[in-house]
Amino acid sequence: MGRIVVTEFISLDGVIEDPGGAEDYEHSGWSFEFERGEDGNKFKLDETLDSEALLLGRVTFEGFADAWPSREGEFADKFNNMPKYVVSSTIDGSQWNNSTVLEGDVAHAVSKLKQDQEGNIVVHGSAQLVQTLLEQGLVDELRLM
């Protein structure tokens, strides 16, 4: 059985959007202005290497699908090759290899995913999806940075 692990860069006032500054949002780049340090970088790498799948909302998925396929290295290789699940009614998932769109009721689809997928299913960003998962009691662990 899989575990839903939510990992977020989040400010004290609740901002999680576009921490790296790749998009044109009001608060773009807010998090990556600060150095994580060696321990923070190791934490994120270990977290990624320990992930068995990604679960993302549409907006985060589209941002990741634009960014990660062109990157190289251990972190990028893991992101690009592991299974990815996206909650959306407007895209087909073909933008990024090994991607599947979860259809129908989110709670039901994610519950089934937890039953079918082993290991950590990690959610990055995806604020609306995370809120739904929390409300439905589907999150097994929150990691806030």
Side-chain angles (χ1 to χ4, degrees), residues 4-6 55 87 106-107 110-111 114 123 126-140:
I4 300 294
V5 176
V6 172
L55 172 61
V87 175
V106 173
V110 173
S111 293
K114 285 179 72 168
V123 182
S126 308
Q128 186 176 351
L129 172 60
V130 169
Q131 188 63 42
T132 299
L133 297 175
L134 288 167
E135 289 170 357
Q136 297 296 320
L138 293 169
V139 175
D140 296 290

Side-chain angles (χ1 to χ4, degrees), residues 106-122:
V106 173
H108 177 73
V110 173
S111 293
K112 182 172 178 1
L113 177 62
K114 285 179 72 168
Q115 292 296 321
D116 296 344
Q117 177 75 49
E118 293 293 324
N120 289 339
I121 306 162
V122 180

Side-chain angles (χ1 to χ4, degrees), residues 31-57:
S31 174
F32 289 11
E33 293 177 15
F34 307 98
E35 180 62 39
R36 283 192 300 244
E38 191 174 311
D39 288 342
N41 291 338
K42 183 177 179 344
F43 172 80
K44 292 308 282 182
L45 178 61
D46 290 348
E47 174 181 72
T48 298
L49 296 178
D50 191 42
S51 302
E52 295 301 323
L54 294 176
L55 172 61
L56 306 169

Side-chain angles (χ1 to χ4, degrees), residues 21-117:
E23 306 293 327
D24 189 27
Y25 293 107
E26 179 181 357
H27 301 292
S28 290
W30 65 272
S31 174
F32 289 11
E33 293 177 15
F34 307 98
E35 180 62 39
R36 283 192 300 244
E38 191 174 311
D39 288 342
N41 291 338
K42 183 177 179 344
F43 172 80
K44 292 308 282 182
L45 178 61
D46 290 348
E47 174 181 72
T48 298
L49 296 178
D50 191 42
S51 302
E52 295 301 323
L54 294 176
L55 172 61
L56 306 169
R58 181 192 53 82
V59 174
T60 302
F61 175 84
E62 287 178 335
F64 279 25
D66 284 343
W68 287 105
S70 64
R71 295 183 182 176
E72 296 179 352
E74 193 173 23
F75 197 101
D77 290 346
K78 181 71 175 187
F79 260 35
N80 287 320
N81 292 312
M82 77 171 102
K84 292 164 279 293
Y85 301 92
V86 58
V87 175
S88 176
S89 61
T90 60
I91 62 173
D92 65 9
S94 64
Q95 301 91 321
W96 199 7
N97 68 313
N98 296 331
S99 296
T100 302
V101 175
L102 298 180
E103 298 177 356
D105 178 71
V106 173
H108 177 73
V110 173
S111 293
K112 182 172 178 1
L113 177 62
K114 285 179 72 168
Q115 292 296 321
D116 296 344
Q117 177 75 49

